[in-house]
Amino acid sequence: MSVKIAPSILAADFADFGREVKAVEAQGADWIHVDVMDGHFVPNLTFGPPMAKALRPHVTTFMDVHLMIAPVDAFIDAFADAGADMLTSHIEAGPHVHRTMQATKAAGMKAGLALNPGTSVEAVTPLLDIVDMVLVMTVNPGFGGQKFLHHQLAQIRRLKELIGDREILIQVDGGIDPTTAPLVTAAGADVLVAGSSIFRDGSADAPEPYGAAITALRDAASTGI
Ligand code: DX5
Ligand code: ZN
């Protein structure tokens, strides 16, 4: 299976999300990663279900919503209504994460489970028969542009062993660029989220640098597989 590249719109122009999404998809994005932050679970605020719903008609690939909020459950139906394809919640966001995964699937979305760098990957073991994806954070969530945490590579390798032959994707998020991409794919990652390394140069009006950055990531990632 080839690696998927999921640009994070956290690094795009917040006043122009619709055109940014169209531009980055035309430049080769596989998924669109949407970072929802509540100023409580993480020390930053972004946006909620109405923004995701407004964005949805502009997304032709796959809308991958990463919730950095607590609690989660009261918002699951709103994100289903917004058209999320994958809804990822943090294992640290509450005591009833299994219920959150069940409710996410019952609402018709794929269920993702995210882990902070301070959480052992062994904690996902009881949830592996319900999740579609596990997101191993490679920075502490909350902000783009942070430095990749190399110790998370061992967690990705261990997660790959725990997953075995189940059809569960491994996603990584934070500090992914052409230097770190081959490290995470060698460890077992399938979906690479990248914000600043894709949106650093270019714009919706001049999007070719987005394409160059996606190609550079994809090429680098393939050397790790
Ligand atoms: C961080 C977010 C990421 C962020 C990654 O909390 O979950 O998706 O956009 O940004 P970069 O790629 O710049 O590290
Ligand atoms: Zn994210």
Side-chain angles (χ1 to χ4, degrees), residues 44-115:
N44 197 5
L45 276 170
T46 56
F47 36 71
M51 203 296 295
K53 190 168 186 167
L55 189 63
R56 191 66 188 85
H58 302 274
V59 177
T60 57
T61 56
F62 186 88
M63 191 158 86
D64 172 40
V65 177
H66 176 194
L67 297 182
M68 287 159 276
I69 68 172
V72 169
D73 292 9
F75 294 98
I76 290 173
D77 288 343
F79 281 102
D81 180 59
D85 295 297
M86 173 80 74
L87 192 69
T88 298
S89 303
H90 272 259
I91 197 165
E92 305 86 1
H96 300 296
V97 68
H98 188 272
R99 177 184 294 150
T100 301
M101 296 295 108
Q102 285 177 315
T104 300
K105 307 275 285 188
M109 296 173 285
K110 291 195 180 300
L113 181 65
L115 290 103

Side-chain angles (χ1 to χ4, degrees), residues 27 197-203 205-216:
Q27 293 293 323
S197 74
I198 290 177
F199 289 101
R200 180 173 293 122
D201 299 315
S203 67
D205 291 322
E208 292 77 12
Y210 299 168
I214 290 170
T215 301

Side-chain angles (χ1 to χ4, degrees), residues 8 10 33 35 37 66 68 137 139-146 173-176 193-197:
S8 162
L10 189 64
H33 184 82
D35 285 307
M37 304 185 187
H66 176 194
M68 287 159 276
M137 291 302 301
V139 298
N140 284 296
F143 302 95
Q146 301 181 80
D173 184 4
I176 303 298
V193 176
S196 44
S197 74

Side-chain angles (χ1 to χ4, degrees), residues 7 9 29 31 33 37 43 65 109 122 132 136 141 148 154 162 187 194 201:
I9 60 166
W31 290 9
H33 184 82
M37 304 185 187
V65 177
M109 296 173 285
E122 306 291 334
D132 297 293
V136 178
F148 180 85
L162 292 171
D201 299 315

